[in-house]
Amino acid sequence: MFSFRLPRGLGFGFALLVVLATTIAQTTPAPRPLTHGDFDAWRSVATPQLSRDGRWLAYSFMPQDGDGELVVREVATGKEQRVPVGALPPPAVPPADENPNPEAAPQVRNIRLAFTSDSRFLVATTHPPKADLAAARRAKKKPEELPKGGLVTVNLASGAVTRDADVKSFQVPTKGGAWLAFLKEAKPEEKKPGDAKPAAASESKETKEPDSEPEEDFGEVEVNGDAAAPRRTTAAASTTRPATAVTPGERTYGTELVLRSLEQGSERSFAAASDYSFARDGRALLFTVSSKTETENGVYAATPGDAAAPLGLLTGKGRYSRLAWDREQTQAAFISDRDSTGPRSAARYKLYHWPRGEKTAAAIVTAQTKGLPTSLTVSSNASPAFSRDGRKLYVSAGAPPKAPRPPGSEQLDEDKVTADLWHWRDGFIQPMQKIRATQERNRSYRGVLDLASKNYVQLSDEALATVTLSDDGTRALGTDDRAYRHLGDFDGRFADIYVVNAATGERKLALKQQRSEGGPSLLWSPDGKWACYYSGKHWHALDTTTGATRPLTAKLRVAFHNEEDDHPAPPGAYGAAGWTKDSASFLAYDRFDVWQTFVDGRAPKNLTAGHGRAAKVQLRVQRIVPVDEDDDERGIDPAKPLTLRGESEETRATGFFRTSFTATAAPQRLLWDDKRFTYLGRAREADALLVTASRFDE
């Protein structure tokens, strides 16, 4: 119990205040605690995209749980159209033995969308509505009988919406007009034994007129975490392609592939397709066939707009997969076990090459290829790839599959012995060995084939398991961590770095026991002569011709390591923007500013004139120039303006700045506010940029 006396003159006022407060408390409902329903209803904007002409913006607007929408907005007028696209499925969690990072959060699945290159149509995937999926589960339907995802196409001029049910994936050519290819889910009857529709046969028909209203029954390369460069994609299509991993002995069959002209409304279909790839110009569609009638299997090329039968590049019994185009889209490669005999699980693959315009593809790497070790064969677990100039073909080789046991030789369960054997000198502890077991069994090693001379060189093997190549494929850098794996549990990750001559396979030790310090390991210069790396709190350049190294930031009096990192390990770098286009300089970050360092020994230059440190604003290069897949430009062009993103270390206000490589004054402020601005992208053919702004109350 306690008591107090009010000052004279305050008694009535205080009493009135107490009465009013009591009255308000009685009339205002008490706030209720948040529930899972509140969290589930929270909507997020995801997958935003601008059309090439900058006229249209599209994004998904999805709740955590429940049905969401695809939003299409005309930028100039603000007019919106909303299209239901179903409910997001739960995140995909890969099996433990196939998950490279078990501690990482599972990736959230969203809808995927793409504008056609003429900016006239928008195509997006859809998910089943929540109610339909719940009803199917209450009916205890089998997994294969549950509702599947679909496809929605929006005519941007009229707003008409067309839906396709049971669609696995889709592609649109990035420069080929209003063409669409999509792969259907398997039909129930396709899973039953029976005759298959001829694989290469096609049929033409007219699509139904698009509905004016939705149907009621809906079916930048980041460098060290900095948004310094736009993400590059090597796929010709704007969306994902179906996975084509091949499991020895496993037999899967393809489904219907539809090729549709969105402008004319006509389409044709191809049966039993398992993989497909659009050329960027929209004038060729490659697809593989996996049919129950095995003689119809193969790789085919169809020409959009041409009613002729697809051209069989290679056909016959066997499996065909791993389609890959070169950057110029003048040639393609794939693998097949067509010529293997004996059990399917012991099949050996060959790599085939198809120059665009030729009638057939030819085997280019086989078990008999000179330079391919006898202990290796073409691997089905990784895709081939072309060098940037298209003159070399990167080949993945792995251990040959083991022949199956003869019938009747299988061990009985009571005779099997299962044991986990571990030695203290093992590179990885036993739990990690279990996690990596499947990855190690499917590991492949990179080789390079010179397409002109047909000379093949095996670059990596068990001793040098990982290699990265320069753009032209003439040099490679390899890492060998075998001697240091046991240190990973208590010290850190280390590796020896080798310079590899891609023409001869000769290896030369360049860096001994190089520690992985949380930054990018090796960053190639555009000309392939230099590789930049972070070590010992500074940036260095490695001459890949001689193997010599030289420091880039050691003489500067500012720190390029994270000064506030308090982990019991060497601190990581603040990051880097990467190389300039001429390969003469490398842009690195200190805590606030951007530095241009030179490989010829010239003194580094502060490109932001010390403004970042003076204002306590962290300045980072923001690449805003749209990059097409066939663009020759690599690195940052010193002749063009340099856009920067800034963030105040004191207030967390953000914005954008502009400067140049020749400027001597502080960067020009373009946009600044007490918000978090994030650059998302730009229209490829218009000066329209996509930026988000957020704060704690918005």
Side-chain angles (χ1 to χ4, degrees):
M1 180 180 293
F2 65 91
S3 64
F4 64 92
R5 184 182 297 273
L6 291 174
R8 182 175 297 178
L10 292 182
F12 176 77
F14 182 78
L16 180 61
L17 180 62
V18 171
V19 172
L20 289 175
T22 304
T23 303
I24 294 174
Q26 292 175 348
T27 58
T28 302
R32 63 175 179 80
L34 293 175
T35 66
H36 285 290
D38 299 312
F39 301 143
D40 292 341
W42 183 265
R43 289 177 177 256
S44 299
V45 173
T47 60
Q49 283 193 30
L50 284 169
S51 59
R52 291 185 75 96
D53 61 4
R55 182 182 174 186
W56 302 93
L57 166 66
Y59 58 90
S60 63
F61 195 46
M62 310 293 289
Q64 301 300 308
D65 184 30
D67 294 341
E69 298 169 318
L70 168 66
V71 181
V72 188
R73 174 182 293 182
E74 188 172 21
V75 176
T77 64
K79 181 182 178 181
E80 284 188 352
Q81 180 177 1
R82 298 186 174 233
V83 182
V85 290
L88 292 179
V93 180
D97 58 350
E98 298 178 8
N99 190 355
N101 188 4
E103 297 182 358
Q107 186 175 5
V108 176
R109 292 183 285 185
N110 211 302
I111 70 167
R112 301 180 179 94
L113 56 92
F115 287 98
T116 55
S117 62
D118 58 5
S119 301
R120 296 174 57 193
F121 297 89
L122 173 68
V123 186
T125 58
T126 65
H127 298 296
K130 181 180 179 179
D132 291 358
L133 198 56
R137 286 172 175 166
R138 282 194 294 268
K140 297 182 179 181
K141 291 190 175 182
K142 298 178 181 179
E144 61 270 18
E145 297 174 340
L146 294 177
K148 302 294 191 299
L151 198 66
V152 62
T153 304
V154 181
N155 185 317
L156 299 175
S158 65
V161 175
T162 303
R163 292 184 178 273
D164 293 277
D166 301 331
V167 175
K168 287 183 180 181
S169 62
F170 78 92
Q171 295 181 22
V172 294
T174 56
K175 292 186 176 181
W179 288 99
L180 167 66
F182 59 92
L183 194 65
K184 301 276 287 184
E185 294 278 3
K187 298 178 181 179
E189 59 269 19
E190 289 177 346
K191 299 178 182 179
K192 300 177 182 179
D195 296 333
K197 181 180 179 180
S202 64
E203 56 186 26
S204 299
K205 61 181 180 180
E206 294 294 322
T207 60
K208 65 179 181 180
E209 289 295 322
D211 298 324
S212 58
E213 296 291 336
E215 298 173 4
E216 295 184 358
D217 187 15
F218 316 128
E220 116 209 225
V221 181
E222 290 185 354
V223 180
N224 196 33
D226 297 307
R231 297 179 183 272
R232 291 178 179 268
T233 174
T234 56
S238 302
T239 62
T240 57
R241 289 172 50 190
T244 56
V246 178
T247 302
E250 181 183 359
R251 191 61 175 167
T252 58
Y253 299 104
T255 57
E256 181 184 8
L257 174 65
V258 178
L259 173 61
R260 178 178 296 168
S261 170
L262 298 178
E263 181 179 5
Q264 299 178 358
S266 60
E267 69 177 33
R268 59 189 307 196
S269 61
F270 312 98
S274 55
D275 193 6
Y276 63 107
S277 181
F278 242 133
R280 285 195 298 272
D281 60 12
R283 298 176 182 175
L285 175 65
L286 296 184
F287 62 95
T288 62
V289 166
S290 179
S291 173
K292 293 178 181 178
T293 306
E294 291 195 46
T295 55
E296 297 172 348
N297 291 351
V299 177
Y300 296 84
T303 302
D306 189 345
L311 178 65
L313 308 182
L314 185 73
T315 60
K317 293 183 178 181
R319 288 179 288 190
Y320 304 79
S321 61
R322 304 290 180 182
L323 296 172
W325 287 99
D326 73 331
R327 185 175 62 89
E328 297 289 345
Q329 308 265 279
T330 61
Q331 54 188 332
F334 58 89
I335 65 172
S336 174
D337 63 351
R338 187 190 70 158
D339 297 330
S340 293
T341 58
R344 179 67 64 190
S345 58
R348 293 205 175 198
Y349 285 81
K350 295 180 180 180
L351 179 64
Y352 291 83
H353 178 241
W354 176 63
R356 189 171 175 179
E358 298 291 331
K359 294 184 177 180
T360 59
I364 199 168
V365 178
T366 69
Q368 290 72 41
T369 296
K370 184 179 179 180
L372 181 66
T374 56
S375 60
L376 300 177
T377 186
V378 174
S379 174
S380 63
N381 296 314
S383 297
F386 290 89
S387 61
R388 187 167 175 80
D389 59 11
R391 297 180 180 179
K392 295 178 176 61
L393 184 57
Y394 303 147
V395 184
S396 295
K402 295 181 180 180
R405 292 175 177 269
S409 63
E410 296 83 0
Q411 284 185 309
L412 299 175
D413 290 341
E414 59 265 24
D415 295 332
K416 293 180 181 180
V417 177
T418 302
D420 288 337
L421 302 179
W422 176 78
H423 193 275
W424 68 274
R425 290 182 177 176
D426 286 352
F428 300 108
I429 60 175
Q430 186 66 13
M432 183 59 68
Q433 291 183 33
K434 289 184 176 181
I435 292 175
R436 297 170 62 100
T438 301
Q439 299 177 45
E440 291 300 321
R441 282 193 295 268
N442 295 330
R443 180 179 289 278
S444 58
Y445 304 99
R446 176 157 286 188
V448 60
L449 175 73
D450 187 291
L451 292 172
S453 65
K454 300 299 187 289
N455 179 53
Y456 179 84
V457 178
Q458 187 64 43
L459 300 180
S460 65
D461 50 30
E462 291 184 359
L464 203 69
T466 303
V467 296
T468 59
L469 287 106
S470 59
D471 275 353
D472 58 6
T474 59
R475 299 178 180 90
L477 294 170
T479 59
D480 181 7
D481 67 344
R482 294 174 300 163
Y484 316 111
R485 289 174 181 171
H486 66 284
L487 301 176
D489 296 324
F490 58 87
D491 190 356
R493 297 175 59 189
F494 300 86
D496 295 333
I497 309 298
Y498 288 83
V499 175
V500 184
N501 186 325
T504 64
E506 179 185 2
R507 301 171 181 176
K508 181 178 180 180
L509 180 63
L511 301 173
K512 182 71 175 177
Q513 198 170 350
Q514 173 70 14
R515 178 191 287 268
S516 174
E517 300 188 19
S521 53
L522 296 161
L523 301 175
W524 282 100
S525 62
D527 64 2
K529 182 180 180 181
W530 302 93
C532 204
Y533 65 97
Y534 172 80
S535 178
K537 299 183 180 181
H538 284 286
W539 288 95
H540 309 262
L542 169 65
D543 188 331
T544 62
T545 303
T546 65
T549 62
R550 60 183 61 184
L552 296 178
T553 60
K555 295 182 179 180
L556 295 172
R557 296 184 178 180
V558 294
F560 288 85
H561 64 279
N562 188 343
E563 301 155 276
E564 297 184 344
D565 189 332
D566 59 355
H567 291 83
Y574 279 118
W579 289 91
T580 52
K581 182 179 178 180
D582 56 10
S583 299
S585 60
F586 181 83
L587 306 190
Y589 301 140
D590 71 10
R591 183 170 179 174
F592 298 103
D593 292 300
V594 183
W595 291 83
Q596 183 181 17
T597 64
F598 300 91
V599 295
D600 61 3
R602 281 180 286 168
K605 177 183 178 181
N606 191 321
L607 291 179
T608 48
H611 174 73
R613 186 168 295 274
K616 291 188 174 2
V617 172
Q618 185 185 74
L619 297 173
R620 298 296 183 254
V621 174
Q622 178 66 68
R623 301 286 295 275
I624 64 171
V625 178
V627 179
D628 281 324
E629 295 89 339
D630 54 357
D631 195 339
D632 286 324
E633 184 170 324
R634 299 283 272 181
I636 302 169
D637 191 345
K640 294 181 179 180
L642 195 63
T643 303
L644 307 166
R645 182 185 182 274
E647 180 171 348
S648 171
E649 194 174 79
E650 295 180 335
T651 67
R652 293 304 166 188
T654 66
F656 296 95
F657 298 78
R658 177 181 294 148
T659 188
S660 69
F661 281 78
T662 58
T664 57
Q668 174 191 2
R669 181 184 289 183
L670 303 176
L671 175 66
W672 188 262
D673 203 348
D674 290 328
K675 298 179 180 180
R676 178 178 178 84
F677 290 108
T678 304
Y679 175 81
L680 294 182
R682 178 176 176 172
R684 294 184 182 274
E685 298 174 354
D687 289 333
L689 286 77
L690 199 57
V691 176
T692 62
S694 62
R695 45 181 287 140
F696 76 96
D697 56 352
E698 293 182 2

